Amino acid sequence: MSPCWNPNPDVRTGRHVVYTLHVHLVFVTKYRRRAMTGEMLTRCEEIMREVCEDFEAELNQFNGEEDHVHPLVHYPPKVQLSKLVNSLKDVSSRYLRKEYDAHVRRYLWGGHFWSGSYFAGSYGGAPLTVVRQYIETPQRPV
């Protein structure tokens, strides 16, 4: 490696891979009930950070409101996104229902905390126009 090369902290390497995979997730509470408090959002962030560490991923940013959360996760290519999402939702639901039981029961019932659906948007790397240009103008050997 060149000594003057400044590595990008978002680009990670594995044994046979160089990657930068970020996903913006949105989890909504069941029935879109306004069940979250500021304290619960802080605890939810802690829980999701621990789950990400188990997957060798990193929770880069986290925010939320009374009825949804926005985690931004940097994850390795060996992780199935659906399994990561299921663990994030399952573990956070279990802990939040246990630790804030009296509060949660006023808003949610039936053992559910999160809605069954979620939003996942990938981001990072070069813009799509740059990738298209790179693919369209290859330097083919003669």
Side-chain angles (χ1 to χ4, degrees):
M1 224 180 277
S2 170
C4 62
W5 181 68
N6 292 326
N8 182 343
D10 285 338
V11 177
R12 303 216 178 130
T13 60
R15 188 169 178 184
H16 297 287
V17 63
V18 177
Y19 65 92
T20 178
L21 297 172
H22 291 84
V23 64
H24 169 219
L25 301 168
V26 179
F27 304 147
V28 178
T29 57
K30 189 74 171 180
Y31 314 116
R32 193 107 183 170
R33 300 283 181 167
R34 298 179 177 271
M36 301 285 277
T37 63
E39 183 182 335
M40 289 175 71
L41 285 170
T42 301
R43 180 63 178 130
C44 187
E45 180 179 3
E46 293 169 1
I47 294 165
M48 289 191 178
R49 196 168 299 282
E50 291 172 10
V51 171
C52 285
E53 287 175 10
D54 291 343
F55 279 86
E56 298 176 19
E58 179 184 354
L59 183 64
N60 285 351
Q61 291 181 332
F62 181 91
N63 207 347
E65 294 181 19
E66 295 172 320
D67 60 354
H68 68 280
V69 296
H70 293 269
L72 177 64
V73 180
H74 189 190
Y75 65 100
K78 67 181 180 181
V79 171
Q80 283 183 328
L81 185 57
S82 61
K83 289 188 178 188
L84 176 61
V85 166
N86 287 340
S87 285
L88 287 169
K89 288 172 72 174
D90 182 48
V91 173
S92 63
S93 173
R94 194 172 341 114
Y95 279 98
L96 291 173
R97 289 187 71 80
K98 180 180 174 184
E99 295 173 16
Y100 300 96
D101 186 53
H103 176 78
V104 172
R105 283 181 184 260
R106 283 189 276 163
Y107 296 93
L108 302 167
W109 54 89
H112 300 287
F113 191 88
W114 300 112
S115 168
S117 58
Y118 62 92
F119 168 81
S122 63
Y123 103 98
L128 189 56
T129 55
V130 173
V131 174
R132 282 189 179 142
Q133 182 181 6
Y134 176 75
I135 292 171
E136 290 172 356
T137 57
Q139 300 297 320
R140 290 182 180 238
V142 179

CSV table of all heavy atoms in Angstrom, one decimal, residues 11-35:
chain,number,residue,atom,x,y,z
A,11,VAL,N,-15.0,2.0,3.3
A,11,VAL,CA,-14.6,0.9,2.5
A,11,VAL,C,-13.8,-0.1,3.4
A,11,VAL,O,-12.8,0.2,4.0
A,11,VAL,CB,-13.7,1.3,1.3
A,11,VAL,CG1,-13.2,0.1,0.5
A,11,VAL,CG2,-14.4,2.3,0.4
A,12,ARG,N,-14.4,-1.3,3.5
A,12,ARG,CA,-13.8,-2.3,4.3
A,12,ARG,C,-13.3,-3.5,3.4
A,12,ARG,O,-13.7,-3.6,2.3
A,12,ARG,CB,-14.9,-2.8,5.3
A,12,ARG,CG,-15.4,-1.7,6.1
A,12,ARG,CD,-15.7,-2.1,7.5
A,12,ARG,NE,-16.2,-1.0,8.3
A,12,ARG,CZ,-17.3,-1.1,9.0
A,12,ARG,NH1,-18.0,-2.1,9.1
A,12,ARG,NH2,-17.7,0.0,9.7
A,13,THR,N,-12.4,-4.2,4.0
A,13,THR,CA,-11.9,-5.4,3.3
A,13,THR,C,-12.0,-6.6,4.1
A,13,THR,O,-12.0,-6.6,5.3
A,13,THR,CB,-10.4,-5.1,3.0
A,13,THR,OG1,-9.7,-5.0,4.2
A,13,THR,CG2,-10.1,-3.9,2.1
A,14,GLY,N,-12.2,-7.7,3.4
A,14,GLY,CA,-12.2,-9.0,3.9
A,14,GLY,C,-11.1,-9.8,3.3
A,14,GLY,O,-10.2,-9.2,2.6
A,15,ARG,N,-11.1,-11.1,3.4
A,15,ARG,CA,-10.0,-11.9,2.8
A,15,ARG,C,-10.0,-11.8,1.3
A,15,ARG,O,-9.0,-11.7,0.7
A,15,ARG,CB,-10.2,-13.4,3.3
A,15,ARG,CG,-9.1,-14.2,2.9
A,15,ARG,CD,-9.1,-15.5,3.6
A,15,ARG,NE,-8.0,-16.4,3.2
A,15,ARG,CZ,-7.8,-17.6,3.6
A,15,ARG,NH1,-8.7,-18.2,4.4
A,15,ARG,NH2,-6.8,-18.3,3.1
A,16,HIS,N,-11.2,-11.9,0.7
A,16,HIS,CA,-11.3,-11.9,-0.8
A,16,HIS,C,-12.3,-10.8,-1.2
A,16,HIS,O,-12.9,-11.0,-2.3
A,16,HIS,CB,-11.7,-13.2,-1.3
A,16,HIS,CG,-10.7,-14.3,-1.0
A,16,HIS,ND1,-9.5,-14.4,-1.6
A,16,HIS,CD2,-10.7,-15.3,-0.1
A,16,HIS,CE1,-8.9,-15.4,-1.2
A,16,HIS,NE2,-9.6,-16.0,-0.2
A,17,VAL,N,-12.5,-9.8,-0.4
A,17,VAL,CA,-13.6,-8.8,-0.8
A,17,VAL,C,-13.2,-7.4,-0.3
A,17,VAL,O,-12.6,-7.3,0.7
A,17,VAL,CB,-14.9,-9.3,-0.3
A,17,VAL,CG1,-14.9,-9.3,1.2
A,17,VAL,CG2,-16.1,-8.4,-0.8
A,18,VAL,N,-13.6,-6.4,-1.1
A,18,VAL,CA,-13.6,-5.1,-0.7
A,18,VAL,C,-15.0,-4.6,-0.8
A,18,VAL,O,-15.6,-4.8,-1.9
A,18,VAL,CB,-12.6,-4.2,-1.6
A,18,VAL,CG1,-12.7,-2.8,-1.1
A,18,VAL,CG2,-11.2,-4.8,-1.5
A,19,TYR,N,-15.5,-4.0,0.2
A,19,TYR,CA,-17.0,-3.6,0.2
A,19,TYR,C,-17.3,-2.4,1.0
A,19,TYR,O,-16.6,-1.9,1.8
A,19,TYR,CB,-17.8,-4.8,0.7
A,19,TYR,CG,-17.6,-5.1,2.2
A,19,TYR,CD1,-18.4,-4.5,3.2
A,19,TYR,CD2,-16.6,-5.9,2.6
A,19,TYR,CE1,-18.2,-4.7,4.5
A,19,TYR,CE2,-16.4,-6.2,4.0
A,19,TYR,CZ,-17.2,-5.6,4.9
A,19,TYR,OH,-17.0,-5.8,6.2
A,20,THR,N,-18.4,-1.8,0.6
A,20,THR,CA,-19.0,-0.7,1.3
A,20,THR,C,-20.5,-0.9,1.2
A,20,THR,O,-21.1,-0.4,0.2
A,20,THR,CB,-18.6,0.7,0.9
A,20,THR,OG1,-19.3,1.7,1.7
A,20,THR,CG2,-18.7,0.9,-0.6
A,21,LEU,N,-21.1,-1.6,2.1
A,21,LEU,CA,-22.6,-1.9,2.0
A,21,LEU,C,-23.3,-1.2,3.2
A,21,LEU,O,-23.0,-1.5,4.3
A,21,LEU,CB,-22.8,-3.4,2.1
A,21,LEU,CG,-22.2,-4.3,1.0
A,21,LEU,CD1,-22.4,-5.7,1.3
A,21,LEU,CD2,-23.0,-3.9,-0.3
A,22,HIS,N,-24.1,-0.2,2.8
A,22,HIS,CA,-24.9,0.5,3.8
A,22,HIS,C,-26.3,0.3,3.5
A,22,HIS,O,-26.7,0.3,2.3
A,22,HIS,CB,-24.6,2.0,3.8
A,22,HIS,CG,-23.2,2.4,4.2
A,22,HIS,ND1,-22.1,2.3,3.4
A,22,HIS,CD2,-22.7,2.8,5.4
A,22,HIS,CE1,-21.0,2.7,4.1
A,22,HIS,NE2,-21.4,3.0,5.3
A,23,VAL,N,-27.2,0.2,4.5
A,23,VAL,CA,-28.6,0.1,4.3
A,23,VAL,C,-29.3,1.0,5.3
A,23,VAL,O,-29.0,1.0,6.5
A,23,VAL,CB,-29.1,-1.4,4.4
A,23,VAL,CG1,-28.9,-2.0,5.8
A,23,VAL,CG2,-30.5,-1.5,4.0
A,24,HIS,N,-30.3,1.7,4.8
A,24,HIS,CA,-31.1,2.6,5.6
A,24,HIS,C,-32.4,1.8,5.9
A,24,HIS,O,-33.1,1.4,4.9
A,24,HIS,CB,-31.4,3.9,4.9
A,24,HIS,CG,-32.5,4.7,5.5
A,24,HIS,ND1,-33.4,5.4,4.8
A,24,HIS,CD2,-32.8,4.9,6.8
A,24,HIS,CE1,-34.3,6.0,5.6
A,24,HIS,NE2,-33.9,5.7,6.8
A,25,LEU,N,-32.7,1.5,7.1
A,25,LEU,CA,-33.9,0.7,7.5
A,25,LEU,C,-34.9,1.6,8.2
A,25,LEU,O,-34.5,2.6,8.8
A,25,LEU,CB,-33.5,-0.4,8.4
A,25,LEU,CG,-32.4,-1.4,7.9
A,25,LEU,CD1,-31.9,-2.3,9.0
A,25,LEU,CD2,-33.0,-2.3,6.8
A,26,VAL,N,-36.1,1.2,8.0
A,26,VAL,CA,-37.2,1.9,8.8
A,26,VAL,C,-38.1,0.8,9.3
A,26,VAL,O,-38.6,-0.1,8.6
A,26,VAL,CB,-38.0,2.8,7.9
A,26,VAL,CG1,-39.2,3.5,8.7
A,26,VAL,CG2,-37.2,3.9,7.3
A,27,PHE,N,-38.2,0.8,10.7
A,27,PHE,CA,-39.1,-0.2,11.3
A,27,PHE,C,-40.3,0.6,12.0
A,27,PHE,O,-40.0,1.6,12.7
A,27,PHE,CB,-38.4,-0.9,12.4
A,27,PHE,CG,-37.2,-1.7,12.0
A,27,PHE,CD1,-36.1,-1.9,12.8
A,27,PHE,CD2,-37.1,-2.3,10.7
A,27,PHE,CE1,-35.0,-2.6,12.4
A,27,PHE,CE2,-36.0,-3.0,10.3
A,27,PHE,CZ,-34.9,-3.1,11.2
A,28,VAL,N,-41.5,0.2,11.7
A,28,VAL,CA,-42.7,0.9,12.2
A,28,VAL,C,-43.3,0.1,13.3
A,28,VAL,O,-43.4,-1.2,13.2
A,28,VAL,CB,-43.7,1.1,11.1
A,28,VAL,CG1,-44.9,1.8,11.6
A,28,VAL,CG2,-43.0,1.9,10.0
A,29,THR,N,-43.8,0.7,14.4
A,29,THR,CA,-44.5,0.0,15.4
A,29,THR,C,-45.8,-0.6,14.9
A,29,THR,O,-46.3,-0.1,14.0
A,29,THR,CB,-44.8,0.9,16.6
A,29,THR,OG1,-45.5,2.0,16.2
A,29,THR,CG2,-43.5,1.4,17.3
A,30,LYS,N,-46.2,-1.7,15.5
A,30,LYS,CA,-47.4,-2.3,15.1
A,30,LYS,C,-48.6,-1.3,15.2
A,30,LYS,O,-48.7,-0.6,16.1
A,30,LYS,CB,-47.7,-3.5,16.1
A,30,LYS,CG,-48.8,-4.4,15.6
A,30,LYS,CD,-48.4,-5.3,14.5
A,30,LYS,CE,-49.4,-6.3,14.2
A,30,LYS,NZ,-49.1,-7.2,13.1
A,31,TYR,N,-49.4,-1.4,14.2
A,31,TYR,CA,-50.6,-0.5,14.0
A,31,TYR,C,-50.2,1.0,14.0
A,31,TYR,O,-51.0,1.9,14.2
A,31,TYR,CB,-51.6,-0.7,15.2
A,31,TYR,CG,-51.9,-2.1,15.4
A,31,TYR,CD1,-51.5,-2.7,16.7
A,31,TYR,CD2,-52.5,-2.9,14.5
A,31,TYR,CE1,-51.8,-4.1,16.9
A,31,TYR,CE2,-52.8,-4.3,14.7
A,31,TYR,CZ,-52.4,-4.8,15.9
A,31,TYR,OH,-52.7,-6.1,16.1
A,32,ARG,N,-48.9,1.3,13.8
A,32,ARG,CA,-48.3,2.6,13.8
A,32,ARG,C,-48.7,3.4,15.1
A,32,ARG,O,-48.8,4.6,15.1
A,32,ARG,CB,-48.8,3.4,12.6
A,32,ARG,CG,-48.0,4.6,12.3
A,32,ARG,CD,-47.1,4.5,11.1
A,32,ARG,NE,-46.3,5.7,11.0
A,32,ARG,CZ,-45.3,5.8,10.1
A,32,ARG,NH1,-44.9,4.8,9.4
A,32,ARG,NH2,-44.7,6.9,10.0
A,33,ARG,N,-48.8,2.7,16.2
A,33,ARG,CA,-49.1,3.3,17.5
A,33,ARG,C,-47.9,4.1,18.0
A,33,ARG,O,-46.7,3.7,17.8
A,33,ARG,CB,-49.4,2.2,18.5
A,33,ARG,CG,-50.6,1.3,18.2
A,33,ARG,CD,-51.8,2.1,18.5
A,33,ARG,NE,-52.9,1.2,18.1
A,33,ARG,CZ,-54.2,1.4,18.5
A,33,ARG,NH1,-54.5,2.5,19.1
A,33,ARG,NH2,-55.1,0.6,18.2
A,34,ARG,N,-48.1,5.2,18.6
A,34,ARG,CA,-47.1,6.0,19.1
A,34,ARG,C,-46.6,5.5,20.5
A,34,ARG,O,-46.8,6.1,21.5
A,34,ARG,CB,-47.6,7.5,19.2
A,34,ARG,CG,-48.0,8.0,17.9
A,34,ARG,CD,-48.5,9.4,18.0
A,34,ARG,NE,-48.8,10.0,16.7
A,34,ARG,CZ,-48.0,10.6,16.0
A,34,ARG,NH1,-46.8,10.8,16.4
A,34,ARG,NH2,-48.3,11.1,14.8
A,35,ALA,N,-45.9,4.4,20.5
A,35,ALA,CA,-45.5,3.7,21.7
A,35,ALA,C,-44.1,4.0,22.2
A,35,ALA,O,-43.8,3.7,23.3
A,35,ALA,CB,-45.6,2.2,21.5
